[in-house]
């Protein structure tokens, strides 16, 4: 899944694809580099970010969704608002990616149920303005799994079909770097549910800290792509369904390496996987 952020202020690529034509061109480039899906979003969720008004989010997202869908892309809309999801689906989007897992907008679950579209349910505890204060867990892997499965139950109660659901641990959303690493190292806690899993580590702050080393300023987002691709390889090997990334080419290669590796492991006589 290639990221098309139509925002002036995303931490990872803020402003680079803010204009409709630039965003569409970026989407087409990601497809050419191997992306299967394009995730179009109009609201930055970086820590501390204010909310974008609905009309502004629609103004950013709809023309880009329309043009990319018309060009044949499988488009996902990255939104917490049911109204935006609904109009994006009408404009040709085929997935809804909701970082709040339905918690930010009480209408979202019913909209998703009625649409039948695949729905990414991310682990979320609160809006960007406050989320860093909510990064408190007893056991982050068990807590995130339990809270996500509670969301799944809530969504099923509102008529969403289990086959629509994709789980996402929500790296960086009310999570410290240590929390993110624990979640990545224990992806089996989510893949073991039997639902498809999406991981979005690309260019996130914890990778910047890792590369800089202890006590140093994190390396800037545009220098985190190699580390992002390394996460893709390991996540793919761990059985995730999708990785959400800003650069498609290296992750496309990483996914192919992981697939060849797993196939060879399974092909050995007597192999159990
Ligand atoms: N992270 C961001 C935006 N959308 N969607 C999902 N499903 N999971 C995420 O972790 C996620 C997301 C923030 O990153 P960006 O500003 O680079 O888009």
């Amino acid at each position: 899944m290639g990221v098309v952020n139509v925002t002036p202020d995303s931490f990872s690529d803020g402003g680079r694809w803010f204009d409709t034509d630039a965003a569409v061109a970026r989407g087409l480039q990601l497809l050419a580099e191997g992306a299967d899906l394009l995730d179009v979003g109009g609201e930055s969720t970086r820590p501390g970010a204010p909310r974008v008004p609905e009309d502004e989010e629609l103004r950013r997202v709809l023309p880009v969704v329309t043009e990319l869908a018309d060009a044949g892309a499988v488009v996902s809309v990255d939104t917490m608002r049911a109204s935006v999801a609904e109009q994006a689906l009408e404009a040709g989007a085929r997935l809804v990616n909701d970082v709040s897992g339905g918690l930010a907008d009480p209408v979202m679950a019913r909209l998703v149920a009625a649409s039948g579209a695949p729905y990414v349910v991310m682990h979320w505890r609160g809006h960007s303005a406050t989320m860093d204060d909510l990064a408190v867990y007893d056991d982050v892997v068990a807590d995130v799994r339990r809270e996500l499965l509670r969301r799944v139950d809530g969504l099923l109660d509102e008529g969403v079909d289990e086959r629509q659901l994709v789980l996402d641990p929500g790296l960086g959303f009310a999570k410290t770097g240590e929390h993110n690493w624990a979640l990545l190292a224990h992806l089996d806690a989510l893949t073991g549910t039997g639902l498809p899993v999406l991981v979005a580590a690309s260019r996130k702050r914890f990778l910047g800290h890792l590369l800089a080393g202890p006590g140093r300023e994190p390396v800037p987002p545009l220098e985190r792509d190699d580390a992002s691709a390394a996460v893709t390889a390991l996540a793919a090997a761990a059985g995730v369904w999708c990785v959400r990334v800003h650069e498609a080419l290296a992750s496309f290669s990483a996914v192919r390496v992981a697939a060849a590796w797993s196939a060879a492991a399974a092909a050995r006589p007597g192999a159990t996987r």
Side-chain angles (χ1 to χ4, degrees), residues 25 100 115 184 199 205 251 253:
S100 83
S115 75
L184 285 171
V199 165
R205 195 169 32 163
S251 280
S253 302

Side-chain angles (χ1 to χ4, degrees), residues 6-7 15 41 56 72 101 113 129-130 138 166 169 188 195 216 241 247 253-254 267:
V6 198
T7 56
E56 173 63 12
T130 57
D138 289 328
V166 177
D188 56 322
L195 293 174
R216 297 223 174 86
W241 170 73
E247 287 294 339
S253 302

Side-chain angles (χ1 to χ4, degrees), residues 215-238:
R216 297 223 174 86
E217 282 297 301
V219 306
L222 294 177
E223 293 173 27
R224 302 173 191 166
D225 285 325
D226 292 349
S228 303
V231 174
T232 293
L234 292 166

Side-chain angles (χ1 to χ4, degrees), residues 19-197:
D19 145 83
T20 300
D21 291 344
V24 170
R26 179 62 183 158
L28 297 176
Q29 185 185 4
L30 288 164
L31 287 182
E33 291 179 0
D36 297 312
L37 293 168
L38 297 176
D39 191 38
V40 178
E43 178 170 29
S44 169
T45 48
R46 72 184 153 73
R51 294 226 56 193
V52 172
E54 179 182 333
D55 57 347
E56 173 63 12
E57 192 184 348
L58 286 166
R59 194 193 64 72
R60 293 178 184 180
V61 157
L62 286 184
V64 179
V65 169
T66 304
E67 282 199 44
L68 288 173
D70 286 352
V74 181
V75 176
S76 148
V77 60
D78 185 347
T79 185
M80 291 183 268
R81 289 190 172 105
S83 57
V84 176
E86 184 171 27
Q87 292 184 56
L89 289 168
E90 278 166 15
R94 287 198 247 163
L95 274 80
V96 178
N97 173 25
D98 178 359
V99 298
S100 83
L103 289 172
D105 184 339
V107 184
M108 184 65 100
R110 268 169 281 148
L111 181 265
V112 168
S115 75
Y119 181 56
V120 180
V121 185
M122 199 192 81
H123 178 263
W124 186 85
R125 284 183 163 182
H127 285 289
S128 299
T130 57
M131 67 181 175
D132 281 354
D133 299 332
L134 303 171
V136 181
Y137 300 88
D138 289 328
D139 169 347
V140 67
V141 175
D143 294 353
V144 165
R145 180 179 192 277
R146 190 183 58 252
E147 289 171 31
L148 268 178
L149 290 180
R150 199 182 303 145
R151 281 311 305 138
V152 168
D153 286 343
L155 292 162
L156 297 183
D157 285 348
E158 297 222 47
V160 178
D161 190 308
E162 196 176 39
R163 286 168 299 185
Q164 291 175 259
L165 298 178
V166 177
L167 299 183
D168 179 343
L171 303 176
F173 288 79
K175 320 274 182 331
T176 63
E178 210 177 320
H179 294 143
N180 294 337
W181 287 117
L183 288 162
L184 285 171
H186 296 283
L187 282 169
D188 56 322
L190 298 185
T191 56
T193 63
L195 293 174
V197 174

